Amino acid sequence: MNKDRIYLSPPDIGSAEIEHVLEAFQSNWIAPAGPNLDAFEEDFAILVGSKHAVAVSSGTAALHLALSLAGVGPGDEVLCSSLTFIASASPITYLGAKPVFIDSEERSWNMDPALACAVIEQKVKAGKKPKALVLVHLYGQSADITPIKACCDKHGVKLIEDAAEALGATYGESSPGSFGLFGIHSFNGNKIITTGGGGMLVTDDAELAKQARFLATQARDAAPHYQHSSIGYNYRMSNVLAGIGRGQMQVLNDRVQARRRNFEYYQASLGDLPGIAWQPEAEGSFSNRWLTCLTLDPTVSGGLTREDLRMELEKDNIESRPLWKPMHLQPVFVDAPFYGDGTSQKLFEQGLCLPSGSNLTQEDLDRVIQRIRSLFGV
C-alpha cells in the first residue's frame, strides 16, 4: 500500500488562524486569559444566537459544567440520546447520576421526540422526574427540538443540547444548542472547525455563565490569596487556542458548504447502488453534513455489509468508520435503562461514515467512490 491515506475528517487550517496565534505570542498572552479568548467567546455567542459563551478545554468539560450547574447530582436520572459518542453520557456519571438512554427516530437519526416525552411522562407519574435531558444533534443534523423542549419545560426537566457535531446547522432559523438551558460545542481536531482541542458552553442566563467561568477556573474566590470555598475545575481554554478558533470562525460557512458538496457528490455518484441510503436532512432543518453517513442494507445489497465496505476502503488506505455504537450497547452502561425498539442498533449495524473533510480534493472523492463501486462490481 503506497497511496496517501485519506482521513475521515482532518483539520482544515488557514492563514487567519496563524495571525491570531502570532498575536498571542507577540503579546505574551499565552495563559487561559486574553483578548483572543474574550473575542472568541463574544463572536461565538453572536454566531449561535446565545447571550453568553464560555470557552473551555473540551466539549466534554462544557457538558460536565452544564450538568453540574443544572443541579444534577448523585442518584439523579438524566435522559440521554443512545446513538452518540460516549462524551455525551460520561459526564452524567462524573456527578454520580444515572443515564437513561433513549432510542433514535428514522427521520433524523436523533432522539425520538415521542419516545422521550413518553418516558418523561411515565417517570413523572411514578414520582421519579428526570433531572435533565441531554439532546444530541448527530452528525450535523439537528434533532427535533420543539416537542422535546415543550415536554421538558412542562415538567421542569432541564434541557441541555449537545451540539458538538452541529455547528453551522440550523433548526428552523436558529442554531442547535441555543434552545435549552445550556448548549455545548466541540472544537476537537475532527470537528467542522477546530482549535486543536476545546469546547464552548453557551447559555442565555448571565448568572449561569458567570458561575461556569468561576468553576472552570478552579473556583477561586475573590481574594488576594488563593482561597476556595467550593471545588472547581481546570477547564478554561487558552488564549492561544482561542486564536485558532477566531480564525476558524471566519471560514465556517466555507467549511459547511464544502462538506455539503462532499455529501451531494457522494449521493449523486453512489445513489444507484443497491441497499445504500443516506442520513436524512429532516424537514425544517439544515445539516452541516459534518460527516457523510450512509447505511447499507445487506438484504438489498446482495449480502454486502457495512463492514465489507469499510474493509474494502481500508485496503486502499481510506479511513471510514461505523456509526456510533449506541450507549445502551456499551459494556460500561450494561445496567443503564434503555427505551426504544432498536432503531439506533440497526443504524449502527448498517451505518458507515465516509471521508468528509472540507479539504478533500476531487481526486480524493473519486478514489473513495471508485473503490466503493468496485465492491459492487460496477
Side-chain angles (χ1 to χ4, degrees):
M1 184 185 298
N2 55 13
K3 291 183 179 180
D4 291 340
R5 186 157 180 79
I6 298 177
Y7 291 97
L8 185 72
S9 183
D12 192 355
I13 302 294
S15 59
E17 295 89 328
I18 297 172
E19 293 174 9
H20 289 301
V21 170
L22 185 60
E23 289 173 8
F25 277 89
Q26 290 174 337
S27 63
N28 205 34
W29 281 106
I30 305 298
N36 276 337
L37 188 62
D38 294 340
F40 188 31
E41 290 177 335
E42 292 169 7
D43 292 345
F44 194 87
I46 294 169
L47 173 71
V48 300
S50 293
K51 293 181 180 178
H52 307 280
V54 181
V56 292
S57 55
S58 68
T60 309
L63 182 53
H64 183 201
L65 290 171
L67 289 163
S68 178
L69 291 168
V72 173
D76 288 333
E77 287 192 334
V78 176
L79 274 55
C80 182
S81 305
S82 186
L83 187 61
T84 185
F85 180 52
I86 195 170
S88 303
S90 53
I92 299 169
T93 70
Y94 298 171
L95 297 162
K98 301 175 181 179
V100 176
F101 296 114
I102 307 297
D103 209 352
S104 298
E105 58 160 356
E106 293 185 356
R107 191 171 69 94
S108 70
W109 294 8
N110 288 298
M111 183 184 287
D112 184 326
L115 181 58
C117 292
V119 171
I120 291 174
E121 296 279 357
Q122 173 187 326
K123 288 187 171 293
V124 168
K125 288 179 181 178
K128 297 180 179 180
K129 184 180 76 173
K131 192 74 173 187
L133 183 150
V134 177
L135 178 61
V136 180
H137 304 294
L138 195 67
Y139 296 121
Q141 168 61 53
S142 175
D144 191 1
I145 304 169
T146 298
I148 294 174
K149 177 174 168 53
C151 192
C152 286
D153 289 348
K154 175 182 177 182
H155 295 290
V157 177
K158 307 290 180 58
L159 175 61
I160 299 171
E161 296 178 74
D162 181 346
E165 302 173 5
L167 184 61
T170 57
Y171 178 80
E173 300 298 322
S174 300
S175 297
S178 65
F179 292 83
L181 180 64
F182 294 105
I184 73 103
H185 296 267
S186 172
F187 311 120
N188 189 33
N190 64 0
K191 293 300 187 291
I192 198 156
I193 67 170
T194 183
T195 59
M200 192 77 77
L201 179 150
V202 299
T203 181
D204 286 340
D205 190 308
E207 181 58 30
L208 289 177
K210 180 181 178 181
Q211 291 180 43
R213 286 193 179 87
F214 173 70
L215 290 175
T217 49
Q218 299 285 23
R220 181 184 176 184
D221 293 337
H225 49 275
Y226 284 89
Q227 176 172 299
H228 305 271
S229 301
S230 55
I231 297 296
Y233 313 97
N234 185 18
Y235 278 174
R236 278 298 255 161
M237 179 183 285
S238 79
N239 194 56
V240 175
L241 295 188
I244 300 174
R246 291 182 69 192
Q248 288 272 283
M249 281 184 60
Q250 295 177 29
V251 294
L252 173 60
N253 288 336
D254 295 336
R255 301 294 185 257
V256 171
Q257 291 306 315
R259 289 180 186 253
R260 286 182 63 88
R261 284 195 299 272
N262 290 343
F263 173 84
E264 291 163 3
Y265 191 68
Y266 280 131
Q267 187 180 45
S269 303
L270 300 171
D272 64 314
L273 298 179
I276 285 183
W278 308 90
Q279 182 185 22
E281 185 171 51
E283 184 178 354
S285 66
F286 174 87
S287 173
N288 68 18
R289 296 295 184 190
W290 170 53
L291 296 183
T292 290
C293 303
L294 60 79
T295 56
L296 181 59
D297 185 345
T299 66
V300 181
S301 66
L304 291 174
T305 67
R306 170 263 284 166
E307 195 61 10
D308 293 330
L309 182 52
R310 187 185 72 81
M311 294 303 296
E312 184 69 18
L313 290 171
E314 190 60 41
K315 290 178 185 177
D316 200 28
N317 207 18
I318 298 169
E319 182 184 21
S320 61
R321 189 175 298 166
L323 298 189
W324 301 125
K325 184 175 183 178
M327 291 299 100
H328 73 278
L329 300 179
Q330 297 287 349
V332 72
F333 292 126
V334 66
D335 295 324
F338 167 71
Y339 294 85
D341 61 5
T343 298
S344 56
Q345 181 172 348
K346 181 179 178 182
L347 288 168
F348 164 64
E349 291 169 349
Q350 297 186 357
L352 191 72
C353 307
L354 299 180
S356 304
S358 52
N359 48 10
L360 283 174
T361 66
Q362 187 66 50
E363 182 181 0
D364 292 334
L365 289 166
D366 288 337
R367 188 172 135 200
V368 175
I369 289 163
Q370 288 165 12
R371 195 72 192 199
I372 294 173
R373 294 191 69 84
S374 71
L375 181 64
F376 284 81
V378 294

